[in-house]
Structure formats: structure tokens, C-alpha cells
Amino acid sequence: MLRNEEIDQLTGLSNLYSFRDKAQKMIDDPELRKKDPVIIYFDVENFKAYNAKFGFEAGDRFLQNMAKSIRKIFPELLVARFSDDHFVALAYGNSVEARINDVYRRVKGYNPDADIQMRAGVYELEYDDADVSIACDKARMACNSIKNSYDAIVRVYDKEIGNRINLANYIIHNINEAVLKGYIKVYYQPIVRVISGKVCGFEALARWIDPEHGFLMPSVFIPVLEDAHLIYKLDAFVVRQVCEDLREFTDQGYKPYPVSVNFSRSDFHQRDMYRVVNDAVTSNDIPRSLIHVEITESALEDESGILKGTMDKFRHGGYQVWMDDFGSGYSSFNLLKDYEFDVLKFDMKFLQDFASKPRETAIWENIINMAEEIGIQTLAEGVETLETWEFLKRVGCEKAQGYFFGRPMSKEEILDYLDESGEKVFACKQETRFEDLLSENNTILLEDDSEESIEEKQAGIAEELYMSNSEMYTKLAARGFASLLEYNSYSQFQKYSFFIVADLSNDKLMNLHLSKQRKILDKRYRSDDSYEAMIEEIVRDTVIQEEKGDVSTFFNRDRLILAYHSGINSDNIEFHRIASVKVEPRWTHTTYEIVEEDGKLVAYFLSFDIDEYRKSKELVRQMAERDTLTGLYNRHTAVPLIRNRLYRHQKGRAAMIMMDVDSFREINDRYGHLAGDEVLRRIAARLDDIFGRDGIVCHIDQDEFLIFVEDVDESDLKNRIDRFSGNVFEVRFHNDLIPFTVSCGYVIHPDQGRGYHDLYRKADTALCNAKNHGNGLAQKYEEG
């Protein structure tokens, strides 16, 4: 009886309980530890599919053969079957990876007709490891880390896996706090109509900006939450936030666009998602037509009927239902037969070779035509080039999204994006002078709005006129813009800044503008009030505890006077300001300058919100902003930088330049890809040398480069471009001297175009025209 309890009846190996008991005794032996023992965890992927295809008897024989192979190749210590297709071995560490590969070859040879994949995780026992169960868990984690990886068979547990596990545990235990404290933000990526390029909606995407771990990629936290069956918390939060944002936009007079929201399969098994969505829509009083439900193709492989029933409920309730990742599975067309969809969404990664594989293109063109015939729209995501957009026009795809049209943006950035794209932002145009002024450059407020009387509005206009006529305000504002990248217009900066003029000699306020609210929290201040009393209250009520001392010292009247007489007439500080009791403290930047006027020391203070800038700066720091081959900016970093500069200098002269290496494919074919890489590195270095000192130089893709230069003198620009066009360059690679030329197209802002996408398209058109006339030429954009 005891022996039966210790043995797996199918394979004759030790079972889980017997292994743990015996292995624990073995690793407690000091002599064994000297031989560097390891725990190996074996797993067969998709073994259920093997049973379904070949039958359970064939599956049992497979497991018996696998058990024999493992025992034969790792005979020295202990082998066990833990459960199903999971085996564990305690063995010596010599040649462990080679021996695992031997097991893999044998497993693959049992049934050549079966698509069997075996993975193995290895944990190397350390001197202080005392619990064999924990060692087995670490080997299992190493094995799981390479699941769905086609080129990996073995993974040894290391610090990276440990960190990943720790991060996963952090995500699981902190999802509630992240939602409650606003660490998770909803960003919106534009969806456009292919034929016109006009925005027709947005996709809602979650971004987790954590105070401890910084920016967490969706590819990190979403799978963890799905595996832990906690994804419903994220998805429910996103749909509620989207509905609240749509309500906010509508209340402020903006034209609302429909938003698609992603859902996981487990959402539907853990919550009534129709009720979750409908409650959010109803409580915010928005039309159901503004919310679209996205479900991935893989999620539709649900045999319980719950998902289909809920999807039908959504469609009957007035919501659109979209299939995401169409074509990624094996049953796409069966799903079209069994489910009703409004939109099929496919990733351009399936069509990345559309230019060189006409057969693949023809297949997708027919899919798009078929969808149109049965009344389903098509949407391509991952569009990053003009060439891809033109291809989608040719094949008849109706909608598209991707970085070519716009990156995911915060709700504050959406309005600027729509304005820059020429979209109609306002639902209606206001008529009166006051309303025109107050609605101009309207955006999401940093603090809560309150009802204002006509007198209060007039006072606000008077304050803004005073600031507009103040040379000192203009000087400080210019300094702020020089260091700040996130304000999109002078008007927005003016409305939400704090401008205080104080007579330090007599401790009096002379003039002040306290943002659009003209108060700080609930307290109003007026000219002739005590400067010191105001500062004391501001520090007490609006600065977080940890920073009160530094901020109080910074604003201290005696210190400012002493500093001025010591030759220091300006300074700045950054601190957390409590903008509202309803939201988290926000980063604020304050700068000042002291001057002597009529025998008095007058201090001019300017404070402005930099919270989004600080967060954005941190995101940029964490993202890989450079192209690994050339060292230049990559597309994902360069495009937002260019957009920001265009926002800041909408009337300034600038140039966008597109360059590529002529006949680059022939260079790769003749000399090899390594030689091609060397050509790109050389031309990138030259571009950075000529344009990098005052511009943004970006390696877009393959042999294409994008350059953006501000404060352009056109003759100087042409001289710089001529250093590339009309020349034959040579690069020596090993024994080959590789000649090549570079073509160029450019456009001038704002004379010939406005906005990133407009300039990009025109520079690309100019490049194409230049190449049509020959190699090594440069051409400025011309209409027609």
C-alpha cells in the first residue's frame, strides 16, 4: 500500500508527494550539495490537443515513453511525474542543457505528425536552499517563462525571472490601490477613416504609472492580471473612466467621438459585463453608440455560451461589438459564422510584407471585400507609414489606427491633437465676447470649475490683460516655455498659471492672478493684502508636509531681500501643490525675479503646473528612445518631440526633411546586411553631425531618416542638404568599397504645411519626386 501511494501508476515514476519527501532528504546531504544538483521541470505544451487528436490511449503511451526517456537520460538521482504532462527531475548539473535537448529530440520523435513542444526550466540549487518545494517552484517559473516561445527549449532560473515574479506579485497586490489612487490612466489612440484620414473615434488603452516601479508596460501588467483573474478590475475601471471623460467633454461643449474598450474573456465569467458597461453609460448619461466593445479572437474560443450570450446582449442593447486580432487564430471564419460583429480589426503585422508578397495581399483584399459584402467594417491597426496608408486605400479598408495617425494620448492632449489635425473640436460656436474668450483654447482643467458672475469674468479678463501688457510676465513666461515641453499654447499657459507681484519692502501684494479660479483652494486674495500672510497660508494649506520647510524658505520675504542685496535676483523651485482636495498633489514650478522700482523691491513670481511634464519626462526616460543600430532617435521618441515643438512654435519657421539611401536593397543583396548596417551607421553619424546640434534626427525604418529643424534660414538649410544630395559617398566594409547616394525631400513650416502629419506627407511626397528624377537629388515640396 505504501509503495502504491509513492508511485505514479501510469509511468512507474515517483509521484509529487514521494518526490518532495525523497528529494528533501537528498538535498539535506552536504556531500550531494558538492556536486551542484539542479531541479529540472518538464512541461509539454498543448498536450490536451494531442489527446483530442490521437486519443487518450495514445496520450498515455506518449507520457510513458517520455517518462522512460527522462529516467534514462537523468538516471543519477530522482525523476517524478507531478501531474498530467509535468515531470520533475533532481539531477547533477553537468551537461544539463545538452541532456535536456536530448530529451526534447526523443519527445519530438515519438509522433512526427504531432506538433509537440516541450519546455524545461532549470533551478540550480544554492548552498542556502533548504526547501525543495520552493526549488521546484522556481524551476517551474523558469519553464513557464518560455511558454509560447518557439525558439527556446530550456531556461535557467535567474535574477530576471525572480524580478519578474516579484513584479507580478506587486501588480496582483496593488491593482486596487492603483485604480483608487489614479496610478492607472486611460489614454486614447485615434482611429481614422482611411479614405479621408479624418478622426472617427478612439481606442481606450490603460497606462500604469506606478510611484514605485515607474511606467509599467501593458504587456507586463495585463497578462499578470489575466492569469490572476483580476483583469475585470482594470477593464471595469477603464470603461467607467471613458464614460466619465465623454461626459466631461460633452459638458464642456466638445464634439464627442465614439471610443472602443477592450475586454478579456475572463471578464465575462467573473462579472456581468453588460451591466458594468450599461451602468457606466447610464450614470453618465451618454449615448450607447459612443461605446464600442472590443473582444480578441482568442477570447471567443469559449464553449460555455456565456460570452456569446453577453455579446448578443450588447448588440441588441445598441452597442457595437468588434473582433480584435482577426486572423491571429485558426477559426476566424467559423467565428464569423457563429457571431455577429460590426467591425473586424486586424494588425498590419500580418501584412508587413504587402509590397513584396502579392499573394498575401490578394488574400487580405478578398477578406476585406467579403467583410464588406456581409455588412462588417474593417479596421487596420499598427499603421506606421504613408505607404501602408496608401495600400489600405487601394484594398478598400475602411478604418485605421497607428502611430502614423497618432500615438496614445491623455485626455488633455486629445483636444490639441484634434485642433492640430484640423478636426472640428467644438459641438457649436459660442457667440458672445466673454464666451469666446473663455472657450478659446479650452482644455481639461487642472482644477475644478466653479460658477462665475459677469463681474468675476470681467475681473478675470482684466487680470489677463494686465499680464499681457506686463514685460516682466512675458519674460518669465518665456523662461517657463524654454524649460517646459508640455503646454500647448500661450493662452493655456496664461490661464492656468499663478502670477504674483509683491512689494517686498512694505509687505504688500501689488497685483496677482491666481489661475483661472482667482483663488487658492477656497481663499481669495487682493491687492494690498499682506504678502507674508498670504505665503504663510499658501504653504500651510497647499504644500505637502514633506516640502513645507523648503517652500516656506523659498518665499520668505527677509530671505528674498537678503538674496537681492547679495546679487541674487532670481531663482526657481519645484514642489507638490494641492490643487484640489479631490485629486492628488501636482508638481508645480515657481520662478521669480526681483527688481527695484521707485525705491521699492518688487518681486514678480510665476508658478505653473508641470505635473504632466514631469510624468512625461519620466516616461521618456524609461522608454528606449534611441535606435539601437544608428544611435539616433527612433520613431516613437522623435514623433512626440516634433509634435511638441510644433505645438510650441506654431508660427515659427521650421523644416521637415525626409532622406533615404538610394538602391539600399541592392547594397544588402550584393554586400550583405552587415555591410548595409554599416552604411546606415555612417550616414546616421553624418546626419547627426550636420543637423543634430539644432534639430531632431530620427531613423524611421530600414534606410529612411527624418529630420526636423527649427528657426530655419532657408539658404543655410539648402547648404546643409547639399552636403548630402549630389554626392557619392563611399564606405569601406572589410575588403569592399561600397558607393552610395542619398535622396532628399523637404517642406517648410508654416509656409507649405502645418501639423506633423501634413508636413510628413509633404516631405515624403517631395522625396518620391526627387527619386523619380534620379539618384542623389534633393527636392523641396511643390503643390500639384
Side-chain angles (χ1 to χ4, degrees), residues 38-41 96 100 120-124 139 142 154-157:
V38 297
I39 299 286
I40 310 165
Y41 190 96
V96 65
I100 290 172
V122 179
Y123 178 68
E124 299 169 339
V154 185
R155 177 68 188 272
V156 178
Y157 182 92

Side-chain angles (χ1 to χ4, degrees), residues 30-50:
E31 293 301 317
L32 178 69
R33 288 301 188 96
K34 295 177 181 179
K35 298 181 180 180
D36 300 323
V38 297
I39 299 286
I40 310 165
Y41 190 96
F42 296 91
D43 179 29
V44 179
E45 291 185 10
N46 298 320
F47 189 66
K48 288 182 180 179
Y50 187 94

